[in-house]
Amino acid sequence: MNLLLFGPPGSGKGTQAQFLSVEYRIPQISTGDILRDDVKRATPLGRQAEVFMKRGDLVPDELMVEMIRERIRRADCSGGFMLDGFPRTVPQAEALDQMLDSIGQRIDRLLSLHVDAEELVTRLTERWTCPSCSLTYHPASNPPRDDQRCDADGAGLIRREDDNAETARRRAQVYFERTYPILDFYRPRGLVVEVDGNGPIQEVRNRVKVALQGEPRAA
Ligand code: AP5
Ligand code: ZN
């Protein structure tokens, strides 16, 4: 299964990706997580990306395309993969098609999560993130077992630099202007599955599971 995850910032892509990665036994490739790791290590890519990420803007296409080209060639993707956060622009979608064509693969499904605008800002500004493994937590809907520590590795949880209200709104705006329209790029292929991402995490998980089992259809 080669799966694409779409949805505005805070819609729960990373949260649902954890379940799907286990369910389908495919790696979750989060471009945001890869970029944040590069920023932390001050690599050439990280140094170039940081300024865009801080503002809530997209990192230039050519950097992102090269990152994904290198990532999906790795052995762990041979049985399928899940892209969380890529493609985000039409040129990225076109480049992904070419990459997959050249290795005889294709996208099987695109899962698009829909969440109300104000709920998105609340989720992001209250989110806690593990700097070590990137798991996310929320005090009301998904609290860690031990206050302020990651359940998986015990690391102290942090707030992402772009999880303030102003940058969260900017990220949402960028999503609706530049990323949401590319659903139309995939719709004619009958790949798009739309799911209501409002409500408790477990309920959304069940909706996603059912939706991916059936044929692609609108929510
Ligand atoms: P990225 O890291 O991809 O961030 P994003 O798209 O903004 O998505 P998030 O990680 O913020 O949200 P999510 O949907 O995964 O939500 P989560 O599951 O954590 O990108 C960051 C930046 O990198 C971009 O701004 C850009 O600069 C750059 N970038 C990345 N990819 C790029 C690309 N391809 N091209 C160019 N630039 C790129 O959930 C959010 C919170 O809500 C959590 O606290 C969670 O516990 C909670 N929650 C989840 N589900 C529910 C629920 N059902 N009910 C209640 N709470 C819930
Ligand atoms: Zn962790």
Side-chain angles (χ1 to χ4, degrees), residues 111-144:
L111 171 68
S112 173
L113 292 171
H114 297 263
V115 173
D116 299 338
E118 274 318 299
E119 166 78 3
L120 292 173
V121 177
T122 309
R123 284 189 193 177
L124 291 178
T125 52
E126 295 178 358
R127 167 166 68 182
W128 290 100
T129 301
C130 173
S132 170
C133 72
S134 304
L135 281 178
T136 62
Y137 298 88
H138 186 276
S141 60
N142 184 24

Side-chain angles (χ1 to χ4, degrees), residues 6-13 56 88 115-117 119-121 123-124 127 160 162-163 167-176:
F6 270 58
S11 56
K13 299 180 296 294
R88 264 166 144 108
V115 173
D116 299 338
E119 166 78 3
L120 292 173
V121 177
R123 284 189 193 177
L124 291 178
R127 167 166 68 182
R160 252 170 64 177
D162 57 353
D163 276 351
T167 313
R169 289 206 172 88
R170 170 76 192 141
R171 285 155 60 204
Q173 184 193 4
V174 168
Y175 176 80
F176 287 109

Side-chain angles (χ1 to χ4, degrees), residues 11-212:
S11 56
K13 299 180 296 294
T15 303
Q16 298 300 324
Q18 275 174 53
F19 304 135
L20 292 168
S21 181
V22 174
E23 186 105 0
Y24 290 102
R25 295 194 200 133
I26 51 177
Q28 170 201 2
I29 300 172
S30 159
T31 44
D33 287 349
I34 298 173
L35 287 170
R36 278 183 288 280
D37 185 55
D38 274 80
V39 170
K40 201 157 63 181
R41 293 186 292 115
T43 65
L45 170 63
R47 285 202 296 269
Q48 291 178 82
E50 191 173 15
V51 54
F52 298 97
M53 297 174 78
K54 268 193 183 147
R55 292 200 301 252
D57 286 332
L58 295 179
V59 174
D61 288 337
E62 51 285 10
L63 296 177
M64 300 310 301
V65 167
E66 276 322 299
M67 175 210 279
I68 287 296
R69 194 189 305 284
E70 188 275 321
R71 182 63 188 85
I72 63 176
R73 277 199 198 126
R74 290 199 208 155
D76 65 338
C77 292
S78 60
F81 55 80
M82 176 171 32
L83 296 183
D84 165 4
F86 188 96
R88 264 166 144 108
T89 63
V90 171
Q92 290 184 17
E94 289 169 345
L96 180 63
D97 270 356
Q98 283 171 9
M99 262 180 244
L100 294 179
D101 266 355
S102 72
I103 52 175
Q105 293 214 40
R106 62 185 165 85
I107 302 300
D108 297 305
R109 279 282 200 283
L110 185 160
L111 171 68
S112 173
L113 292 171
H114 297 263
V115 173
D116 299 338
E118 274 318 299
E119 166 78 3
L120 292 173
V121 177
T122 309
R123 284 189 193 177
L124 291 178
T125 52
E126 295 178 358
R127 167 166 68 182
W128 290 100
T129 301
C130 173
S132 170
C133 72
S134 304
L135 281 178
T136 62
Y137 298 88
H138 186 276
S141 60
N142 184 24
R145 279 193 300 268
D146 182 4
D147 197 30
Q148 303 306 332
R149 304 230 148 250
C150 175
D151 290 354
D153 51 37
L157 302 177
I158 57 157
R159 282 253 196 260
R160 252 170 64 177
E161 210 177 333
D162 57 353
D163 276 351
N164 58 76
E166 190 190 339
T167 313
R169 289 206 172 88
R170 170 76 192 141
R171 285 155 60 204
Q173 184 193 4
V174 168
Y175 176 80
F176 287 109
E177 283 176 10
R178 303 201 50 199
T179 303
Y180 189 70
I182 60 176
L183 286 180
D184 288 337
F185 178 89
Y186 290 102
R187 270 207 183 87
R189 302 185 206 173
L191 305 179
V192 177
V193 177
E194 301 191 63
V195 170
D196 178 3
N198 291 290
I201 291 173
Q202 191 57 43
E203 267 180 32
V204 178
R205 181 183 181 177
N206 292 340
R207 272 182 229 136
V208 166
K209 199 170 169 181
V210 170
L212 287 177

